Amino acid sequence: MDEHRVPTIYDVAKACGVAPSTVSRAFSRPGRVNAETAARIRKVAEELGYRANPLARALPTGKTSLLALVVSDVTNPFYFEIIRGAELAANEADYTLLVADVYESAVVERKALERALPLVEGVVLGTSRMSDSAIRVMAQQRPTVVLNRVLTGIPSVITDNARGTRRAMEHLVALEHRSIGYVAGPEASWADGMRWRAMREAADALDVRVQRFGPAAPTLAGGAEAATAVGESAVTAVVAYNDLVAIGLMRGLAAAGVRVPRDVSVVGFDNIFGAELCSPSLTTVAAPLAALGRYAVQTLLAGMTSRTPPQVRPALLPAELVVRESTARRVRRRRS
């Protein structure tokens, strides 16, 4: 055999003097092959450097030991800990996690899933931008868990957006802010809608005014672009869709001569890596990111192995306010 050629099942079969189907069974269904023969096949395969193709081996059973995690933007630090938590949970169950970055695009997301579904046993959708109907169609093909979104009939894992937003609003009101802005994220974001709704409800209960800006791209650039509108408004505090938007907003305000937190207090969401490293360090609603990823995979695997229908009530993980330097007591009324 050519030393540069990858050995095949036929090479192993020829060296052992058995049929290729016997070699296949020795790897995929060892109990159906004589123990002595199976041992000889494995020994020869190792000597030849043959490795069984896990996908080909999976064809009769559909078991590939692969899971997919789809994320909207892998460059967003929000996903760093989610991916790590999901990966640890998959590894503990002897599964491999495939991560697909879909660039904040529902079209790219659908294409990625069309390619991945034949290969994986289950899917975790991280902040999907697809429509509810598209997700349901996909979930009919493979077990699915959705992160940061609630869909009837599909298991989901979310953070307590309502409680986290309420804590941010109470914090700002305690600092005497009476006019508070919200820099919105993508229109397709379920979490964005929940946060804006929670802000309005908290504003009514706390007797303060709220104003919506955006939508903004969920990036540093998106936050910076919102700075002009925020700076020209009468708000003295802002809650941003996420930490990247909040940090970008602070940069944009600083460039325009608006001081944070003296002129405008800023609160983010998620407590990503870097939130405490920017200047001023960012007050934010912290989500348990690693726990989100871990729990999502555990929920997915539990549904895949259970003989009963999966639990579809959303799993609600706690959010907490982390107070840093970007919020302060209102010193003076800003001019619009």
Side-chain angles (χ1 to χ4, degrees):
M1 186 179 70
D2 184 347
E3 63 178 352
H4 298 297
R5 184 170 68 84
V6 177
T8 69
I9 194 173
Y10 299 101
D11 297 319
V12 178
K14 182 178 179 180
C16 291
V18 299
S21 59
T22 303
V23 177
S24 176
R25 284 195 298 274
F27 286 102
S28 62
R29 300 177 182 179
R32 297 184 59 183
V33 178
N34 176 276
E36 183 179 340
T37 301
R40 187 170 81 256
I41 289 172
R42 287 193 294 272
K43 183 175 184 297
V44 170
E46 183 176 353
E47 291 172 350
L48 294 177
Y50 170 77
R51 295 290 182 272
N53 184 332
L55 295 181
R57 204 169 70 202
L59 290 178
T61 64
K63 302 295 184 182
T64 63
S65 296
L66 298 176
L67 304 175
L69 170 62
V70 179
V71 299
S72 298
D73 180 4
V74 77
T75 66
N76 186 339
F78 169 75
Y79 290 107
F80 294 174
E81 291 188 51
I82 289 178
I83 292 172
R84 178 57 57 86
E87 195 171 52
L88 288 173
N91 186 58
E92 288 171 359
D94 204 23
Y95 277 77
T96 297
L97 188 72
L98 306 181
V99 178
D101 179 13
V102 297
Y103 309 98
E104 290 283 349
S105 168
V107 173
V108 175
E109 187 172 356
R110 284 194 294 270
K111 289 181 178 179
L113 285 167
E114 288 171 1
R115 298 184 184 108
L117 287 182
L119 306 176
V120 302
E121 295 183 41
V123 177
V124 175
L125 295 178
T127 59
S128 176
R129 302 304 185 222
M130 294 194 303
S131 66
D132 289 0
S133 59
I135 293 176
R136 288 196 173 93
V137 169
M138 190 276 300
Q140 291 173 356
Q141 301 174 62
R142 287 290 185 274
T144 300
V145 171
V146 182
L147 275 178
N148 282 335
R149 184 165 173 175
V150 175
L151 275 79
T152 303
I154 298 179
S156 59
V157 183
I158 61 175
T159 54
D160 195 341
N161 283 288
R163 183 179 179 85
T165 303
R166 178 63 181 250
R167 291 291 175 267
M169 290 289 284
E170 290 173 342
H171 170 65
L172 293 173
V173 170
L175 296 175
E176 300 182 2
H177 295 282
R178 310 300 299 175
S179 182
I180 302 170
Y182 175 65
V183 178
E187 292 180 290
S189 167
W190 179 86
D192 178 75
M194 293 300 101
R195 289 166 187 172
W196 174 235
R197 180 171 138 187
M199 273 197 71
R200 288 182 296 167
E201 291 175 351
D204 289 341
L206 299 169
D207 192 27
V208 296
R209 297 181 299 278
V210 290
Q211 180 178 347
R212 183 182 175 96
F213 302 93
T219 61
L220 293 172
E225 290 174 5
T228 299
V230 171
E232 293 174 350
S233 73
V235 301
T236 62
V238 174
V239 176
Y241 166 72
N242 68 11
D243 287 347
L244 286 182
V245 171
I247 295 169
L249 175 65
M250 290 196 297
R251 289 181 177 178
L253 290 173
V258 179
R259 297 165 295 181
V260 177
R262 180 177 174 84
D263 298 328
V264 177
S265 286
V266 176
V267 178
F269 257 92
D270 301 328
N271 197 30
I272 62 172
F273 173 80
E276 62 184 317
L277 302 179
C278 60
S279 182
S281 58
L282 182 64
T283 296
T284 183
V285 178
L289 301 179
L292 278 172
R294 173 180 285 274
Y295 197 83
V297 168
Q298 290 174 340
T299 301
L300 179 65
L301 293 172
M304 288 164 48
T305 58
S306 175
R307 295 182 179 180
T308 59
Q311 171 61 258
V312 294
R313 176 179 293 179
L316 187 66
L317 301 189
E320 63 179 39
L321 183 68
V322 178
V323 178
R324 297 193 179 104
E325 299 170 344
S326 65
T327 51
R329 189 170 301 277
R330 181 169 65 92
V331 175
R332 61 181 176 84
R333 181 180 178 82
R334 295 177 55 238
R335 295 178 181 177
S336 60

